[in-house]
């Protein structure tokens, strides 16, 4: 199985997609071996999404969520249990970091930790300036165009005299 894909032919003919190709190349290289903690991606509506991460054993104070420049980062660091005398430790408590690339205009709207599941809600919020808008076609009527021509002609006559 191939671990990377060469995007060079696409880079030559696609203008402005550098960030997309960089993201694809870096995610293919970084995500090859890491699968802890497990997560689900859920589309809840046309513009709404949810990421659920299984963080059993982690307290709210041991999890950090940051969103910066279209990257969502979830970090978990377990506090030491120095007083516990484990005979067997089968519950994973290692530190982790999960990164998710977010598309433009995707914003984190909330996070909730319940029963060992961290749920992060996301929403696509397209700014009004970026939304499609209908352009009305204006037609010129000959009656309204004639006064403009006459006004121009009248304005020019005193200059020539």
């Amino acid at each position: 199985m191939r671990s990377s894909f060469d995007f060079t032919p696409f880079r030559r003919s696609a203008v402005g997609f550098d960030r997309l190709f960089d993201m694809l190349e870096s995610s293919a290289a970084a995500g090859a071996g890491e699968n802890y903690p497990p997560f689900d991606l859920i589309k809840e509506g046309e513009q709404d999404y949810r990421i659920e991460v299984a963080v059993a054993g982690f307290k709210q104070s041991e999890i950090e969520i940051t969103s910066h420049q279209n990257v969502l980062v979830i970090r978990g660091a377990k506090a030491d249990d120095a007083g516990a005398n484990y005979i067997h430790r089968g519950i994973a408590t290692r530190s982790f970091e999960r990164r998710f690339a977010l598309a433009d205009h995707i914003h984190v709207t909330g996070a909730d930790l319940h029963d060992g599941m961290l749920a992060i809600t996301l929403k696509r919020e397209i700014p009004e300036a970026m939304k499609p808008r209908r352009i009305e076609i204006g037609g010129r009527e000959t009656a309204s165009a004639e006064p403009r021509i006459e006004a121009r002609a009248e304005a020019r006559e005193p200059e020539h005299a």
Side-chain angles (χ1 to χ4, degrees):
M1 185 167 133
R2 272 176 97 165
S3 60
S4 65
F5 186 80
D6 184 18
F7 290 103
T8 305
F10 299 108
R11 286 184 184 268
R12 286 190 294 242
S13 61
V15 178
F17 290 93
D18 298 336
R19 195 177 113 232
L20 174 66
F21 293 132
D22 291 343
M23 182 188 67
L24 290 171
E25 288 170 347
S26 66
S27 67
E34 187 61 37
N35 59 1
Y36 175 78
F39 67 93
D40 291 333
L41 297 174
I42 303 157
K43 185 170 184 176
E44 294 185 319
E46 192 65 31
Q47 306 295 332
D48 300 308
Y49 302 88
R50 187 173 74 239
I51 299 173
E52 289 185 345
V53 185
V55 292
F58 283 85
K59 297 176 189 168
Q60 184 175 343
S61 61
E62 298 170 331
I63 299 171
E64 177 186 348
I65 304 168
T66 57
S67 178
H68 182 65
Q69 294 183 349
N70 294 2
V71 177
L72 174 66
V73 180
I74 305 167
R75 290 184 184 93
K78 195 77 174 132
D80 282 341
D81 266 345
N85 188 12
Y86 290 97
I87 295 171
H88 170 73
R89 189 152 196 176
I91 299 173
T93 57
R94 65 182 183 257
S95 296
F96 68 88
E97 179 175 296
R98 271 282 186 195
R99 292 178 173 267
F100 297 91
L102 302 178
D104 291 337
H105 314 298
I106 298 280
H107 303 285
V108 177
T109 58
D112 186 36
L113 180 62
H114 186 69
D115 293 336
M117 293 297 290
L118 175 66
I120 301 170
T121 54
L122 306 143
K123 184 171 188 71
R124 181 186 316 265
E125 296 174 344
I126 300 173
E128 284 296 320
M130 303 276 304
K131 289 182 180 177
R133 59 187 172 102
R134 184 181 173 118
I135 310 297
E136 295 294 327
I137 301 171
R140 287 191 185 182
E141 295 179 17
T142 55
S144 64
E146 290 177 12
R148 288 188 206 157
I149 295 170
E150 289 175 12
R152 286 184 189 167
E154 290 172 343
R156 289 183 189 162
E157 286 180 30
E159 292 176 2
H160 295 294

